Amino acid sequence: MAIKLHDLRPAPGAKRDKIRVGRGEGSKGKTAGRGTKGTGARKNVSPAFEGGQLPLHMRLPKLKGFKNRFKVTFQVINVGDLATLFPQGGTVGVAELVAAGAVRKNQKVKVLGDGDLNGVVINLTVDAASGSAKEKIGAAGGSVTTA
């Protein structure tokens, strides 16, 4: 015997009448399950209302300025640090600086002119270098190549 579409019925107890809240003195009447007085018994209370505490949207700072998506940040290293890390001189690139622990990998590197080379000849290949750094390295007999 097959079940037919017209034989289908909801399970017993599955269909119940909607509770009409706040419609008289019967069940769920009068205060309609909201208790007596207080904020929860009122009608239009904002979900953002925090009971008189300073609200979250006022506690947070206002957004000021903007963030430039195209800003380029460099890992910086000074000329004096190069002399300390590579006292024998030679050809130094970004990979050698990363291996020495001076800069992080996969970052652009810029050399700044603080410190002295003390006669160390370095042929440097980096992403950027300041004018004073180029002068100091050139004066010591080295060269700077920027990519």
Side-chain angles (χ1 to χ4, degrees):
M1 176 132 180
I3 297 177
K4 295 189 177 152
L5 200 59
H6 63 268
D7 291 328
L8 294 176
R9 294 275 179 273
K15 298 282 277 181
R16 297 184 65 187
D17 291 338
K18 179 183 165 194
I19 297 172
R20 297 183 69 238
V21 176
R23 296 293 183 271
E25 294 291 329
S27 179
K28 291 278 193 224
K30 193 173 171 253
T31 54
R34 288 171 169 259
T36 313
K37 298 185 182 174
T39 309
R42 311 291 183 222
K43 185 184 173 192
N44 295 323
V45 179
S46 166
F49 183 66
E50 298 185 31
Q53 174 175 299
L54 194 67
L56 181 68
H57 70 88
M58 292 176 74
R59 277 179 280 166
L60 297 175
K62 284 186 179 180
L63 184 65
K64 292 193 173 150
F66 76 104
K67 205 167 189 88
N68 186 359
R69 287 192 278 171
F70 307 107
K71 180 180 179 182
V72 179
T73 54
F74 289 96
Q75 298 284 307
V76 294
I77 185 164
N78 285 305
V79 170
D81 299 330
L82 289 173
T84 308
L85 291 167
F86 305 100
Q88 74 286 356
T91 304
V92 178
V94 177
E96 289 81 8
L97 291 170
V98 170
V103 294
R104 293 190 179 103
K105 64 180 178 179
N106 302 325
Q107 301 277 326
K108 291 186 179 285
V109 178
K110 183 171 184 175
V111 179
L112 303 179
D114 192 32
D116 293 310
L117 281 174
N118 300 326
V120 178
V121 179
I122 293 178
N123 296 320
L124 194 64
T125 305
V126 288
D127 297 297
S130 69
S132 61
K134 287 179 183 176
E135 285 176 16
K136 287 184 180 182
I137 294 170
S143 65
V144 178
T145 309
T146 55

